Amino acid sequence: MSKGYLIVTLVAFFVYFLANEKKQIHMLQLNSYRNGRYFLWIRRNILKAIDPLDLLPLLGVIVIFSGRQTFGFIVIILAYLAAFFTKKRPREKKKLVFTPRVNRLICCLAIVYGLIMIGELYYLPWQTNDNYITVICLSLVLINAFVIVITLLCNGINKPIEDAINLYYYKDAQKRIKDMPYLTVIGITGSYGKTSTKHVIQKILSKRFNVLMTPGSYNTTMGVVKVVRNNLKPTHDIFIAEMGAKAIGDIQEICELVTPKYGVLTSIGPQHLESFKTIENIKKAKFELIDSLPEDGVGFENIDDENIQTLPTPKCKVVCYGIGSAMAQFRAENIKFNSRGSAFEVVKPDGTRANFQTKLLGRHNIYNILSGVAIATELGMDLETISYAVRDLEAVEHRLQIKQMGKGVTQIDDAYNANPVGSRMALEVLAQMDGEKKILITPGMIELGDQEYELNKMFGKYAADACDYIILVGGKQTLPIQEGLREKKFPAAQVFVALNIDEAFKHLFTMATPGSVVLIENDLTDDYNE
């Protein structure tokens, strides 16, 4: 046996193995370290999760077993090289972050893999015969083939440790909140619009108060814990916590942490139906915020949302805002949109009116502003001060954000997490824009459960009425949109199906003309690449 060939074989194995394991850890991180969601991703993407190329080195193992060690090593090395260089590697939109949790997972994986190798060396006789080398090489191939199983196992092993660490941080953050009796906490939740509403409210209240909000899309329990421990100071008057949920009880857990006095419920719809299963479960989860408020607290609800209209009556005061409902205490009237933004009138419960202007686009941003007006009024701010703050509002990144792409092309960036309500409103904005050609780029919507196909099909029908040209990202993912376009008899020559977002932009630059307006609606994370 040639030791040189064995060493090169081991190097080839470890290079391929490390790339494979990194990918699995990345997918686990994108799925919130939840084995259930990770399994769902595997089921949806079986050929990406379990790559047949991982078994290619088996050919070399068979050759070694037949008695030709050197040739077998060469076959294994070439197989790993071929698999490594032919494996598809789409550009990562959100790279793996080596957090302390990931590092602990890597340590656990190293221990498990180390024990496997030690076991082989201990129980198998240290020989250079073909049978021994065959077993060693076969074990290497199987480790690569079963990297998913081992990753899931180690994630499960680490769970009690992670739970204990999270509990310590949770209790510490909870104590910090309790040690600030004069802090006012505002919770924001909803199926859509949480982050944009949070930014609007923060901007308005900052005209009078020292406000801290959870940054970006930090809306999980541990995300809020991190912000409280790292950023909340005794000088803050108000803390705004965005609250997301993937299961019943998630929002209640955040409420027990930060004890909000005020709560905003922006919307309830078919988002994350894969985990919630039914709209009723979503309603229960979102209502946890309003239900957790104290008797002297105030809930602010978008009363135009039909699912919010059917919620139970909470123990606290509720203030409603809306555009079309007569039950709305804060209303927006005389709404006008143009390429420079929006103009509208706000009517308060006492009948007081004020004109508002904003650079933000879309009806959903009017709702977001109304919630901010309602809360600011409750906290004693006057309409004139509020209107100044609204005039200065900037679009949140990737949420109907206007950009110039050059060559006279305008982009409406609405790439963050499309949903049935927001996507339709984004198409309304596109339809109202002044532009020579109105173009849509989208992969469609996800996590809509059993309704996903029909909702994407309906999205296709709406798009047919608003667009001159449509670029779809992903052939399989966009099949329902394609069907919706066909039913509306949208010209096939005005539809292009791209493999990925890079190809979509390359095609866009070949056909966009000066004066074109391009709407980017949703941009799926790496675990949805086809």
Side-chain angles (χ1 to χ4, degrees), residues 21-145:
E21 183 60 74
K22 181 187 174 186
K23 174 187 172 184
Q24 300 310 322
I25 296 173
H26 187 198
M27 293 302 109
L28 186 63
Q29 186 177 73
L30 290 175
N31 285 285
S32 305
Y33 304 102
R34 297 185 182 185
N35 280 357
R37 292 189 64 187
Y38 186 48
F39 266 124
L40 184 61
W41 173 79
I42 293 169
R43 195 178 70 188
R44 277 199 313 251
N45 304 273
I46 189 68
L47 290 180
K48 285 196 299 179
I50 304 173
D51 194 334
L53 290 174
D54 294 344
L55 297 175
L56 194 59
L58 274 178
L59 296 174
V61 177
I62 295 170
V63 173
I64 292 174
F65 183 70
S66 70
R68 292 174 291 175
Q69 278 191 21
T70 301
F71 184 55
F73 284 137
I74 293 173
V75 172
I76 292 175
I77 293 166
L78 291 175
Y80 275 128
L81 288 173
F84 183 82
F85 287 108
T86 59
K87 190 183 281 283
K88 291 182 179 179
R89 292 180 181 82
R91 178 178 59 85
E92 293 179 348
K93 302 163 193 167
K94 184 177 181 181
K95 295 184 180 297
L96 172 65
V97 181
F98 286 90
T99 62
R101 179 165 187 166
V102 167
N103 293 334
R104 288 190 291 269
L105 178 60
I106 291 172
C107 288
C108 183
L109 286 163
I111 291 170
V112 170
Y113 288 125
L115 289 174
I116 291 172
M117 299 308 296
I118 290 170
E120 288 185 352
L121 295 174
Y122 182 80
Y123 286 106
L124 293 172
W126 180 251
Q127 301 174 26
T128 59
N129 62 48
D130 294 337
N131 289 338
Y132 176 76
I133 298 300
T134 299
V135 172
I136 291 294
C137 291
L138 178 61
S139 68
L140 295 178
V141 175
L142 292 179
I143 284 174
N144 252 325

Side-chain angles (χ1 to χ4, degrees), residues 185-201 212-225 227-228 239-245 250-251 254-255 257-258 260 262 264 266 272 286 289 396 399 416-417:
V185 179
I186 301 171
I188 300 175
T189 193
S191 297
Y192 334 114
K194 296 184 292 293
T195 302
S196 297
T197 299
K198 174 184 66 180
H199 280 266
V200 167
I201 293 174
L212 173 70
M213 68 175 179
T214 51
S217 292
Y218 274 61
N219 59 22
T220 63
T221 299
M222 296 315 297
V224 176
V225 164
V227 175
V228 171
F239 176 47
I240 304 174
E242 180 180 341
M243 302 179 179
D250 285 357
I251 292 173
I254 302 176
C255 289
L257 168 68
V258 300
Y262 301 103
V264 181
T266 63
H272 304 306
K286 300 304 180 184
L289 170 57
V396 180
R399 292 167 173 85
Y416 182 83
N417 197 19

Side-chain angles (χ1 to χ4, degrees), residues 168-242:
Y168 169 78
Y169 290 147
Y170 182 94
K171 293 291 186 182
D172 181 65
Q174 194 174 49
K175 182 178 182 302
R176 294 182 188 218
I177 294 283
K178 288 180 179 178
D179 289 343
M180 298 178 64
Y182 300 107
L183 179 71
T184 298
V185 179
I186 301 171
I188 300 175
T189 193
S191 297
Y192 334 114
K194 296 184 292 293
T195 302
S196 297
T197 299
K198 174 184 66 180
H199 280 266
V200 167
I201 293 174
Q202 186 271 340
K203 185 72 174 181
I204 293 173
L205 297 184
S206 292
K207 291 292 183 183
R208 178 170 173 181
F209 304 98
N210 186 4
V211 183
L212 173 70
M213 68 175 179
T214 51
S217 292
Y218 274 61
N219 59 22
T220 63
T221 299
M222 296 315 297
V224 176
V225 164
K226 183 176 181 180
V227 175
V228 171
R229 296 183 74 245
N230 294 344
N231 305 104
L232 187 61
K233 301 291 186 292
T235 53
H236 285 120
D237 303 310
I238 294 174
F239 176 47
I240 304 174
E242 180 180 341

